[in-house]
Amino acid sequence: MTVRTRTALATSLVLAIAAGPVAASPVFAASPSLTASAPRPDAKALRAAIAGLPDADATAALVRVAGTDGSWRGSSGVAEIGSGHKALEQGRFRAGSTTKVFTAAVVLQLAAEHRIDLAASVQDYLPGLLPDSPPISVRQLLNHTSGLQEAHDDKPFAEAYEHRFGTVTPRQLVAASAAKPREFAPGTQQHYVGVNYTLLGLLIETTTGGSYEQQVSQRILRPLGLRHTSFPGTDPRIHGPHNHGYQAVKSSDGTTELRDVTQWNVTDVWATGNLISTTADLERFLHALFRGQVVPKAQLKEMFTVPQGIPLYGSDQPAMYSAGLTRFTLQDGTVGWGKTGGLYGYNTAVLGVRDLSRTLVYSVNSTDAKGSEMNKVVRRIISAAFTH
């Protein structure tokens, strides 16, 4: 399965899932073509995919593959460099942009309750945050066709690390984006921009009168029994058992240091990427979502509908993002859906075929989680999960 990125769009079959603003570039680059028809998960191939950790690319990996033909789960690597402790298969991690799937699900629930009109202008719901013109619909936020620019450019790692304990508010992010000119007229192109989901988080709060975190917890986490999934708020720690995250940093003498980036205040990604979870919880959520147990059927269509007739921003490639998910195509033409996430130290994904005949959830403690190239361990996991 080859993969489209925003900067180098492949002409062959594609897995087009981007980490967006929580990663400097999409997580995936080109990888082998994959087929959807597999008798059962190939345990040997999956074990080989995560063998030998820690290495230069990752310090740990947690993987769950499931479907109608069986399931497989495994882990590799270490919980903490120098500790001698094996990676914790049930360890918690920063889920990054997979948070957006939860955000989109709550918005669609509110639409089902007739509390939000997806066709209505977000300026009507959140007056004063954006210029009144041009109007941007809630649906255009969901599927990244708003034309808004990202609030801030990605900082170099050294600068980001220096300010890792700082707090950024959602309204600060929206204000920074609102001050910039639109990239395009709403609805005419598609560009994956995290501030769209920052606005959706504020919309959830305004509509319900409760906090974004409370609404996700009440509507999704508790009903599904996702006991190990939470929001950290301003707390930089990951509470409970977890594997440490690291970023490879080159020194002036040419050597590479693994900098521990586990503790980080991620308020700058709020409703777009600050969820903490486990592979088991994310797998349960993915299966419940696809089965229609999270979002009512009428609104669930939004998550499996990509805008037609418009291109990705700055390219001639067609749109690929729906409400909260990204569409990818396997070699036999089977369409799949999923979402990736990338925060320093952690790459995550929830991927699956619509009928749940094959799903994949992974967390890889990548040493360059926000890099422009697909992590080699991630590449092997995807190939083993969908090819074998």
Side-chain angles (χ1 to χ4, degrees):
M1 178 168 41
T2 50
V3 180
R4 286 181 182 137
T5 70
R6 286 175 292 186
T7 55
L9 292 157
T11 57
S12 54
L13 300 169
V14 171
L15 172 53
I17 304 173
V22 294
S25 301
V27 170
F28 294 147
S31 64
S33 294
L34 304 183
T35 58
S37 56
R40 62 183 299 105
D42 189 322
K44 182 178 179 181
L46 287 162
R47 283 195 297 268
I50 59 175
L53 302 185
D55 63 13
D57 300 301
T59 58
L62 314 177
V63 179
R64 296 177 74 97
V65 179
T68 53
D69 298 313
S71 61
W72 183 89
R73 69 189 65 171
S75 61
S76 180
V78 296
E80 184 176 4
I81 296 294
S83 70
H85 297 145
K86 292 182 179 180
L88 303 170
E89 186 173 327
Q90 302 301 324
R92 301 173 189 184
F93 51 81
R94 300 194 188 280
S97 277
T98 59
T99 306
K100 291 183 178 66
V101 190
F102 290 78
T103 304
V106 172
V107 171
L108 294 174
Q109 287 180 359
L110 292 168
E113 297 165 11
H114 305 289
R115 301 172 71 178
I116 289 177
D117 180 353
L118 300 183
S121 165
V122 69
Q123 287 98 324
D124 290 341
Y125 286 111
L126 301 171
L129 289 186
L130 297 173
D132 292 337
S133 182
I136 296 169
S137 73
V138 175
R139 181 176 284 111
Q140 288 166 345
L141 294 178
L142 283 165
N143 63 24
H144 298 287
T145 59
S146 68
L148 293 170
Q149 291 197 52
E150 197 56 273
H152 302 293
D153 295 332
D154 286 318
K155 300 181 179 69
F157 171 74
E159 182 180 350
Y161 184 79
E162 182 181 355
H163 297 95
R164 66 192 182 280
F165 297 128
T167 295
V168 180
T169 70
R171 289 177 180 269
Q172 286 175 326
L173 292 169
V174 172
S177 174
K180 297 180 178 182
R182 302 292 181 267
E183 290 183 320
F184 49 83
T188 62
Q189 298 186 61
Q190 188 177 66
H191 191 186
Y192 184 98
V193 172
V195 78
N196 290 323
Y197 277 67
T198 303
L199 281 159
L200 290 173
L202 292 171
L203 176 60
I204 289 169
E205 294 194 332
T206 299
T207 303
T208 64
S211 74
Y212 163 78
E213 295 85 353
Q214 289 171 339
Q215 290 300 310
V216 176
S217 296
Q218 293 170 8
R219 292 170 172 271
I220 300 176
L221 306 189
R222 294 176 192 168
L224 295 183
L226 307 184
R227 297 183 295 108
H228 305 300
T229 301
S230 62
F231 293 94
T234 59
D235 191 337
R237 297 168 294 176
I238 300 177
H239 291 276
H242 61 275
N243 301 312
H244 285 234
Y246 297 89
Q247 173 69 22
V249 180
K250 288 188 176 181
S251 302
S252 57
D253 61 3
T255 59
T256 298
E257 168 200 356
L258 285 181
R259 187 81 54 81
D260 193 320
V261 292
T262 308
Q263 293 195 24
W264 203 292
N265 179 339
V266 292
T267 49
D268 61 326
V269 291
W270 191 50
T272 76
N274 73 352
L275 198 73
I276 289 173
S277 193
T278 65
T279 54
D281 273 11
L282 289 181
E283 183 182 74
R284 179 178 293 187
F285 169 66
L286 180 67
H287 284 232
L289 180 71
F290 280 29
R291 288 176 180 143
Q293 297 169 349
V294 179
V295 175
K297 184 177 180 180
Q299 287 70 35
L300 187 60
K301 291 179 182 178
E302 299 281 343
M303 303 192 88
F304 299 103
T305 302
V306 169
Q308 299 298 304
I310 64 171
L312 290 176
Y313 178 62
S315 81
D316 59 358
Q317 300 299 313
M320 62 180 67
Y321 305 111
S322 66
L325 298 175
T326 308
R327 183 176 64 191
F328 62 92
T329 305
L330 301 178
Q331 189 174 19
D332 67 354
T334 301
V335 173
W337 301 86
K339 189 72 192 77
T340 64
L343 290 172
Y344 286 119
Y346 301 90
N347 279 142
T348 302
V350 290
L351 311 173
V353 179
R354 180 69 179 88
D355 64 4
L356 295 174
S357 57
R358 181 60 53 88
T359 63
L360 167 65
V361 176
Y362 66 73
S363 172
V364 173
N365 293 80
S366 304
T367 58
D368 189 18
K370 298 177 73 171
S372 59
E373 298 297 324
M374 181 175 66
N375 181 277
K376 293 179 181 178
V377 179
V378 168
R379 181 195 301 267
R380 296 196 300 265
I381 291 169
I382 295 170
S383 179
F386 286 99
T387 304
H388 298 274

